[in-house]
Amino acid sequence: MELVKASREAWEVDEALVQRCLDRDALSERQLFERLKKTIHRTLYRIMGSNAQLPDLIQDSFLEVFRSLSSFQGRSKLDTWADTIAARVAYRALSS
């Protein structure tokens, strides 16, 4: 039961953070960036390796995350959702 409660609380925190970002709260946008930067970097590094494109792909991933925030529905963790976006950015770069 504690796990369900913790998951629910985490979802509520994610949902509130996303809403504040959608409201253009600069502090919340910074918090979201700080929260996701390691996980996005790690995802891109696993796919791309040590690549000169990595900084650009990190930036592209964050642009896509912020552009897509309104589509976040909370069906997965925010980190998982952002990782999926970063992976798509990396695979697009590999295919071009």
Side-chain angles (χ1 to χ4, degrees), residues 25-80:
D25 178 65
L27 179 59
S28 296
E29 290 172 346
R30 184 67 180 177
Q31 288 173 335
L32 182 66
F33 172 79
E34 291 297 328
R35 177 172 165 191
L36 296 176
K37 70 181 182 180
K38 286 182 183 177
T39 189
I40 285 178
H41 181 272
R42 186 173 40 246
T43 297
L44 292 171
Y45 185 81
R46 275 195 325 258
I47 296 169
M48 302 297 292
S50 182
N51 186 310
Q53 284 185 294
L54 202 56
D56 291 334
L57 295 176
I58 292 169
Q59 182 175 353
D60 291 346
S61 296
F62 273 105
L63 286 171
E64 191 65 31
V65 163
F66 280 101
R67 285 183 188 136
S68 302
L69 273 178
S70 63
S71 69
F72 177 70
Q73 297 176 353
R75 287 189 238 153
S76 62
K77 289 175 36 179
L78 185 58
D79 300 48
T80 303

Side-chain angles (χ1 to χ4, degrees), residues 12-32 35 66 69:
E12 289 171 355
V13 168
D14 286 351
E15 196 66 28
L17 181 59
V18 167
Q19 188 55 54
R20 289 192 312 271
C21 288
L22 289 171
D23 292 340
R24 299 287 191 205
D25 178 65
L27 179 59
S28 296
E29 290 172 346
R30 184 67 180 177
Q31 288 173 335
L32 182 66
R35 177 172 165 191
F66 280 101
L69 273 178

